[in-house]
Amino acid sequence: MAKLINGTKISNDIKNEIKEEVKELERIKGIKPGLGVILVGENPASKVYVSSKQKGCEEVGFLSDAIKMPETATEAEVLKQIEIYNNRKDIHGILVQLPLPSQIDKIKVLEAISPLKDVDGFHPVNIGKLVAQEDGFVPATPAGIIEMLKREGITIKGRNATMVGHSEIVGKPCALLLLNEWATVTVCHIETRDLKMHTLNAEILVVAVGKPYLIKEDMVKDGVVIIDVGINRITTDKASPELLSWRKSDFDVKGATLIGDVDFQKIEPKASAITPVPGGVGPMTIAMLLKNTLKSAKIFAQLK
Ligand code: GUN
């Protein structure tokens, strides 16, 4: 039986640590960390993420400001809002929720955010700092993965780590972070010829693809540490009999359940540690975003 890595518990610990630091920052410097969020359009998942991020801000005592723009917003309008946040003294972190509607150039938008307020870590300056191992902002989900491994006492140094997925948000930065921690890193993607060969070699396997059951029992070795970043919503009509019985209460109440990219029920007995979905990596993303925003506020307050 694998140890379940409880992301909800770890993220609550981090939020409690942040709360204490916020009180101290207000006491010493009279500063409250502030996060500015820009949401363009009506993407339902983005709306949920943005409201969770705002709720997280409230929980730890941050100021949170959100601008909601219509699906038809122009690039110039988004750039104008970024400029306002760049200049606001009470905003220490800026986040533009992705994806953006097609008329807006994502690269232009991300590059308009001041690297000093880029708490998502997507600006090329911060990506460069990650490569060069300089202090900057690291994207929240991969930062959360490393934080989980460290807080669970899982060794990274010297181990074979396989990253499945090569996105800018998770796969690429996560591979770099694992490398910076001295893992031997393999990155797999859609053109990888023999995925199983690489997953079987993994002592730490991180999967961020968005495909349910991508990683099956025969693709991992005994004792593997599994970090499952996938969040896939399966409705009752699409669920297998095993899933219907395992997640019966979810299907009864919501008509759907959330599963990751790995076949959890079959792989869990082989793994030494595994993140569940939900309650694994998901909650860590918000905790690390808040941590980045606190870090920015501390730099602005000249405490770092
Ligand atoms: N869309 C999916 N994940 C993220 C994230 O971490 N940050 C932003 N800004 N958008 C996202």
Side-chain angles (χ1 to χ4, degrees):
M1 285 273 281
K3 176 174 199 323
L4 274 191
I5 304 178
N6 187 341
T8 307
K9 154 94 175 56
I10 302 173
S11 73
N12 282 335
D13 291 347
I14 294 170
K15 283 192 272 189
N16 285 331
E17 292 159 18
I18 294 172
K19 242 189 248 174
E20 290 309 308
E21 286 209 53
V22 170
K23 282 186 205 149
E24 195 62 9
L25 188 60
E26 278 199 283
R27 194 179 64 78
I28 304 173
K29 294 278 184 177
I31 287 176
K32 192 197 247 296
L35 177 68
V37 180
I38 299 172
L39 171 64
V40 188
E42 302 292 329
N43 182 314
S46 292
K47 283 185 181 174
V48 174
Y49 290 138
V50 165
S51 73
S52 310
K53 287 168 187 178
Q54 287 189 285
K55 193 171 143 262
C57 283
E58 264 171 46
E59 275 178 59
V60 296
F62 286 7
L63 163 83
S64 97
D65 193 84
I67 301 289
K68 299 193 172 135
M69 304 176 93
E71 188 75 34
T72 52
T74 64
E75 192 176 280
E77 285 166 339
V78 176
L79 293 175
K80 179 93 191 63
Q81 189 52 51
I82 292 172
E83 191 55 27
I84 292 169
Y85 277 152
N86 277 342
N87 292 320
R88 265 177 68 168
K89 296 250 180 317
D90 58 340
I91 294 293
H92 307 97
I94 303 170
L95 181 157
V96 179
Q97 188 63 32
L98 301 175
L100 286 166
S102 57
Q103 75 275 14
I104 299 171
D105 182 344
K106 179 180 87 172
I107 294 175
K108 263 197 201 158
V109 165
L110 295 180
E111 291 194 9
I113 297 171
S114 162
L116 298 173
K117 295 189 177 185
D118 171 40
V119 288
D120 251 337
F122 297 159
H123 191 288
V125 165
N126 283 312
I127 298 168
K129 287 187 173 187
L130 176 57
V131 176
Q133 296 200 65
E134 288 177 34
D135 191 27
F137 291 112
V138 174
T141 303
I145 291 169
I146 301 296
E147 189 76 17
M148 281 177 127
L149 292 170
K150 288 190 173 170
R151 288 190 186 225
E152 289 293 317
I154 293 167
T155 304
I156 304 174
K157 193 172 175 175
R159 293 180 94 181
N160 294 336
T162 298
M163 176 73 234
V164 184
H166 73 136
S167 69
E168 269 77 44
I169 293 179
V170 183
K172 285 183 194 171
C174 191
L176 284 166
L177 287 172
L178 289 163
L179 180 61
N180 290 350
E181 295 292 331
W182 293 100
T184 299
V185 183
T186 303
V187 184
C188 301
H189 45 73
I190 190 87
E191 297 290 344
T192 297
R193 261 182 282 133
D194 188 349
L195 179 61
K196 184 174 169 180
M197 177 179 94
H198 299 294
T199 57
L200 264 179
N201 186 45
E203 296 171 282
I204 299 173
L205 179 62
V206 185
V207 191
V209 173
K211 253 189 172 180
Y213 301 103
L214 175 69
I215 307 297
K216 300 179 182 66
E217 186 186 2
D218 64 343
M219 294 170 73
V220 300
K221 69 170 153 199
D222 283 334
V224 65
V225 173
I226 304 262
I227 306 291
D228 190 349
V229 190
I231 301 176
N232 305 292
R233 187 169 180 273
I234 310 289
T235 49
T236 308
D237 55 320
K238 302 262 166 61
S240 66
E242 293 82 29
L243 188 60
L244 284 172
S245 121
W246 177 35
R247 297 288 177 90
K248 185 174 184 314
S249 59
D250 278 0
F251 289 114
D252 286 350
V253 176
K254 298 178 256 181
T257 195
L258 293 179
I259 61 169
D261 290 346
V262 311
D263 185 348
F264 184 94
Q265 284 181 292
K266 302 248 174 65
I267 285 180
E268 184 268 336
K270 287 183 86 172
S272 60
I274 188 165
T275 58
V277 176
V281 177
M284 293 298 293
T285 298
I286 291 175
M288 299 310 282
L289 170 72
L290 299 172
K291 208 168 153 131
N292 277 349
T293 307
L294 172 66
K295 173 176 168 171
S296 177
K298 282 166 80 176
I299 294 169
F300 274 88
Q302 296 180 323
L303 283 175
K304 249 191 134 226

